[in-house]
Amino acid sequence: MRAWPLALILTACTACGVGPTDVIRAGEAPRGFVQGTTLYFVRHGRLGPVTRPEGPLPAAETVVLLTGGPTAQERERAFVTSLPKSLAVRVTGDAFVLGASTSRLPRMATGQLVCTIAAATAAERGVEVDDVRVTVPGKGQARCADFT
């Protein structure tokens, strides 16, 4: 008879009223601090980061890697680029200037540049990527979050 009060207490403690939920998808799992250089390419119609082992590199050198396009391994993971093949771009600080032949870029290509420059600048300054504003020619300042 003494087990009855114990069973009642255990039942009360385990019946909290919170039921199970479905899995909530939220993208890739966080990876913590990543050594290397982050570039932004397009995957399934959205910008996505890839990390290369080089670096961290200054923004100007990071954009050189970006304009080279995704590696074979990145292409296998469905990453592509929206940047024109003959893109002439010069990076100065947290701004970029396009050559005359590419004065207008598609939104996704602009996002690739903004996010890649912001990631390099953030790594250099020790801040979050979305704390960096990048000057876009003819459009003012933008953050990576404006494109993701």
Side-chain angles (χ1 to χ4, degrees), residues 79-105:
F79 284 103
V80 297
T81 186
S82 291
L83 297 172
K85 292 189 188 300
S86 59
L87 179 68
V89 62
R90 183 173 45 93
V91 178
T92 55
D94 58 358
F96 66 92
V97 178
L98 300 173
S101 64
T102 54
S103 61
R104 298 185 71 123
L105 285 177

Side-chain angles (χ1 to χ4, degrees), residues 7-102:
L8 181 62
I9 292 172
L10 287 175
T11 301
C13 289
T14 59
C16 64
V18 177
T21 62
D22 292 335
V23 173
I24 299 171
R25 304 249 182 245
E28 292 185 30
R31 295 180 285 177
F33 181 73
V34 177
Q35 288 287 342
T37 297
T38 302
L39 308 175
Y40 281 79
F41 290 110
V42 180
R43 182 178 184 199
H44 307 298
R46 298 184 68 178
L47 286 180
V50 299
T51 303
R52 301 260 180 99
E54 304 94 332
L57 298 173
E61 292 178 42
T62 302
V63 168
V64 170
L65 290 176
L66 179 69
T67 58
T71 64
Q73 183 180 21
E74 291 161 352
R75 286 190 304 271
E76 287 175 6
R77 292 175 38 218
F79 284 103
V80 297
T81 186
S82 291
L83 297 172
K85 292 189 188 300
S86 59
L87 179 68
V89 62
R90 183 173 45 93
V91 178
T92 55
D94 58 358
F96 66 92
V97 178
L98 300 173
S101 64
T102 54

